[in-house]
Amino acid sequence: MHTTEQLREVAERAARTAGAELRHVFRGEMSVDSKRDLHDLVTEHDRAAEQTILQVLRDESEEWTVIGEEYGEQGPASDTVWYVDPIDGTSNFAQGIAFFCVSVGVEVAGELAAGAVFDPMADLMFSADEHGAYLDGRPLRTPQARPHGHGNLITGYPTARDLEVEGPAALADLGRCIEAFSSVRRTGSGALTIAHVAAGWTDVALGTSVSPWDVAAAALVLERAGGRYEPLWFGRDPGDSPAHLAPGFVARSPGAEYPVFERVVDGIRERRAS
């Protein structure tokens, strides 16, 4: 049995090893394909980085289950399940924008236990275990949010799929947020965005189209740092499913309660539940 500190060290090592490879090839020639649509890109480096992470995990234990974005579920059935996103923010990576990360999180018996989010271009390692959250090995605590009217929001909403499902209401809600916040940013990496909330570099974040490998590690970092990760289930009955399996999220700094934003989130919930 590994302790959560040991699992965190493995997650950091896997993320850093893959990240070093990505830093080396960033802004070089690469083959870019699309998966579901033109908004969902993949490169040969996504696949290579996931293989690198898999090898680090296998070198530590052959008994773990690994669920990755590119290769799906691998390994035997186990209570220890790793969620791997080799490049969270592939569109940024493919287009030469230095906002992407490697995300490696692990749950044990259904509960998040440890994780790492590595920004290879800024050389920043966010990580967490049962004892706390860390930035480059130092304890990380999320500061209080900025007050109403001065807060910052990062969101990918509305995505092309949001517009397809919700129509003009989604654009109207984006406009309300632009008016209500000091700044609204669309950064293109859910994991790194959540990590920025944990560090206090933005106050609140909204994601409406995520997978467990996108958010597992970052959600734990945020919660261990003292922030709050709220799942958005969009009308589905979650039962006892853990928050990182939800298709959407709100990530908050302490005290990040903004009336216009709350109404926007409520509206999204209502439209998706109908």
Side-chain angles (χ1 to χ4, degrees):
M1 290 289 292
H2 289 68
T3 66
T4 63
E5 297 98 317
Q6 290 169 329
L7 292 172
R8 175 170 68 90
E9 188 278 329
V10 173
E12 289 181 350
R13 178 157 31 96
R16 192 178 295 279
T17 302
E21 297 174 358
L22 296 174
R23 184 167 54 240
H24 180 70
V25 299
F26 182 56
R27 292 179 179 153
E29 292 293 325
M30 66 181 73
S31 173
V32 182
D33 299 314
S34 59
K35 292 192 282 189
R36 287 173 294 186
D37 54 43
L38 292 176
H39 305 283
D40 189 10
L41 303 183
V42 64
T43 74
E44 72 264 38
H45 302 302
D46 294 76
R47 301 182 180 105
E50 187 162 317
Q51 290 289 1
T52 295
I53 294 166
L54 284 168
Q55 190 58 58
V56 172
L57 298 180
R58 287 192 185 112
D59 287 347
E60 188 72 23
S61 175
E62 295 278 356
E63 302 304 314
W64 289 335
T65 303
V66 181
I67 301 176
E69 179 174 16
E70 305 307 326
Y71 292 103
E73 183 170 338
Q74 298 192 58
S78 169
D79 280 346
T80 302
V81 180
W82 291 84
Y83 292 98
V84 171
D85 193 341
I87 308 178
D88 187 57
T90 296
S91 292
N92 287 345
F93 174 79
Q95 295 163 8
I97 299 170
F99 196 92
F100 61 91
C101 66
V102 183
S103 176
V104 182
V106 58
E107 65 176 29
V108 177
E111 298 287 337
L112 290 176
V117 175
F118 181 53
D119 178 344
M121 303 315 297
D123 195 22
L124 295 173
M125 178 66 76
F126 304 86
S127 61
D129 56 28
E130 68 176 320
H131 301 294
Y134 312 89
L135 175 53
D136 291 337
R138 297 183 296 275
L140 177 65
R141 295 298 298 173
T142 306
Q144 283 290 122
R146 297 170 184 84
H148 176 67
H150 299 274
N152 298 321
L153 166 67
I154 295 180
T155 183
Y157 179 82
T159 66
R161 295 185 200 95
D162 294 324
L163 291 172
E164 183 179 350
V165 172
E166 299 183 43
L171 287 176
D173 277 347
L174 176 61
R176 293 184 183 97
C177 287
I178 290 171
E179 291 176 345
F181 283 91
S182 175
S183 65
V184 175
R185 300 287 183 259
R186 297 169 63 85
T187 55
S189 170
L192 195 51
T193 289
I194 296 166
H196 278 222
V197 176
W201 301 335
T202 194
D203 300 290
V204 64
L206 168 66
T208 56
S209 182
V210 296
S211 299
W213 47 79
D214 298 317
V215 299
L220 186 66
V221 170
L222 177 63
E223 292 186 338
R224 291 289 186 265
R228 193 162 85 243
Y229 184 87
E230 302 170 9
L232 300 178
W233 294 98
F234 303 136
R236 288 169 37 192
D237 180 5
D240 58 357
S241 298
H244 60 279
L245 299 187
F249 71 86
V250 172
R252 302 178 190 268
S253 303
E257 306 291 341
Y258 303 112
V260 172
F261 179 72
E262 310 312 327
R263 291 195 292 272
V264 166
V265 173
D266 287 344
I268 295 169
R269 285 194 182 102
E270 291 171 8
R271 291 191 294 271
R272 296 296 185 90
S274 60

